[in-house]
Amino acid sequence: MKRLSLFLALSLALSGSAFAQQKLNVVTTTADLASITQEVGGDRVDVNSIAKGYQDPHFVEPKPSFLLLLRKADLLEVVGLDLEVGWLPPLLDQSRNTKIRPGGAGYLDVSSGVEILDRPTGNVNRSMGDVHAMGNPHYWIDPANAVRIAIQISKKLSALRPNDAPYFAARLETFKKRMNEANKKWTALLAPYRGAKIVTYHNSWPNFVRRYGLNVVGFVEPKPGVPPSPSHTFELINLMKDQKVKAILVEPYFDLKTPQSIAERTGASLLVMYPSVGARPELDDYFKLFDRNINELVKVLR
Ligand SMILES: [Zn+2]
């Protein structure tokens, strides 16, 4: 009897460990991809983002801890379109993890399955430091693209863990439903302001403004990635007065000095808009990020 129970205990322990597969180690370049991966991957994934939501994702300072993350990653997800070109390639080289390199089974560039705006039509031109030479990489700020991102993540996770495919598919469905419901609410909130003219600091919001029918008439940066210049600011102020622009949207990581003085001289409201999950501690998922941004935007457009 004693021997039998020992045998039972042993076999239970063994089968238990066989079922409890290790979680997939997922590393994302941005917190938004991490948030969506968590929604789809649930308790089968361990997700870490390299860039934090309060950082400019074009410019991330490399740290040794990122190498450790990349070294043990099963999957690397990137925004692509050169968003990470300034900092990711050397980290990837030094991580010596071949499966998460472009073309590897553990590499996912989600830009291939989303709607991309500002695609260059002629020759790609990075003159004057334009950091959007491949098309606009801020496409995640749009619920429809968030769903498209989630679909690709679900496919990739399922390819890496076929046994969990039904689990990921069910979670993807839940995410889609929640996003649909939330987007109805956001669309209704912004509906009275269709066509409202705004200015943004960086060209981060083309997908967002198209979704909700807003109209960006200018940028504080003369070109994406190029700091404001006096002549450009002067022209922008005239344009804003002329077009009666109501709001300037600025990401939290840009210097507020120029936008503030533009606001004072034009009467427009200055609003800090958060482009990423985790830009503030309480904005810890995609839904909260949009709730906050849209509620505040409505206040300045009223
Ligand atoms: Zn950008």
Side-chain angles (χ1 to χ4, degrees):
M1 197 59 193
K2 208 172 183 184
R3 187 171 283 176
L4 183 65
S5 57
L6 182 66
F7 172 76
L8 266 175
L10 254 177
S11 60
L12 274 174
L14 281 172
S15 64
S17 67
F19 281 117
Q21 218 179 359
Q22 278 229 324
K23 289 185 184 194
L24 268 176
N25 258 317
V26 184
V27 175
T28 67
T29 54
T30 68
D32 309 282
L33 295 184
S35 173
I36 298 172
T37 304
Q38 195 65 68
E39 300 278 358
V40 176
D43 61 12
R44 314 288 156 92
V45 294
D46 207 346
V47 193
N48 282 288
S49 162
I50 293 180
K52 301 298 171 211
Y54 49 80
Q55 289 178 310
D56 183 344
H58 291 290
F59 307 101
V60 175
E61 199 156 327
K63 283 190 202 162
S65 60
F66 300 159
L67 281 181
L68 295 177
L69 281 179
L70 289 168
R71 209 160 276 169
K72 59 173 191 168
D74 300 308
L75 170 61
L76 170 65
E77 296 169 7
V78 305
V79 171
L81 301 178
D82 278 358
L83 181 79
E84 303 97 341
V85 76
W87 53 273
L88 184 63
L91 282 172
L92 209 43
D93 283 343
Q94 289 170 60
S95 79
R96 295 200 199 96
N97 183 348
T98 50
K99 61 185 177 186
I100 61 163
R101 297 189 69 83
Y107 180 81
L108 176 63
D109 177 344
V110 294
S111 70
S112 55
V114 299
E115 183 182 39
I116 305 297
L117 301 178
D118 313 332
R119 283 245 195 238
T121 44
N123 289 334
V124 170
N125 185 2
R126 286 191 182 76
S127 68
M128 278 182 74
D130 188 342
V131 291
H132 292 173
M134 309 284 290
N136 196 293
H138 301 274
Y139 56 78
W140 68 85
I141 317 173
D142 170 15
N145 273 348
V147 167
R148 293 184 185 114
I149 292 169
I151 291 169
Q152 294 177 78
I153 291 172
S154 170
K155 271 189 198 156
K156 189 54 136 179
L157 295 179
S158 301
L160 294 173
R161 287 287 157 83
N163 288 343
D164 287 332
Y167 174 82
F168 299 135
R171 291 192 63 99
L172 172 64
E173 279 315 303
T174 306
F175 181 70
K176 278 188 193 170
K177 278 199 194 109
R178 286 178 65 206
M179 192 59 83
N180 253 328
E181 286 308 306
N183 188 45
K184 276 183 205 156
K185 179 182 70 184
W186 298 327
T187 304
L189 280 169
L190 284 172
Y193 310 103
R194 286 198 91 80
K197 288 173 179 168
I198 59 171
V199 158
T200 72
Y201 190 103
H202 182 75
N203 185 9
S204 303
W205 309 90
N207 298 79
F208 179 86
V209 299
R210 213 171 78 130
R211 177 69 44 208
Y212 300 111
L214 303 172
N215 187 3
V216 176
V217 299
F219 305 103
V220 177
E221 288 179 334
K223 276 209 170 206
V226 178
S229 65
S231 64
H232 176 74
T233 300
F234 178 76
E235 282 169 25
L236 184 66
I237 287 170
N238 286 337
L239 176 91
M240 286 176 67
K241 284 180 179 164
D242 197 44
Q243 307 249 331
K244 301 188 172 52
V245 171
K246 291 191 93 173
I248 310 173
L249 277 43
V250 187
E251 288 88 338
Y253 39 76
F254 291 120
D255 188 355
L256 285 178
K257 216 163 66 190
T258 303
Q260 234 149 20
S261 91
I262 295 172
E264 278 160 23
R265 291 165 67 184
T266 60
S269 303
L270 182 64
L271 173 64
V272 174
M273 282 281 274
Y274 297 115
S276 279
V277 171
R280 293 184 56 81
E282 70 273 18
L283 305 178
D284 59 1
D285 73 23
Y286 196 95
F287 300 97
K288 291 179 198 160
L289 176 73
F290 265 61
D291 278 338
R292 184 274 173 196
N293 279 340
I294 290 176
N295 285 328
E296 293 302 311
L297 189 54
V298 163
K299 286 183 198 163
V300 296
L301 293 178
R302 263 202 291 251

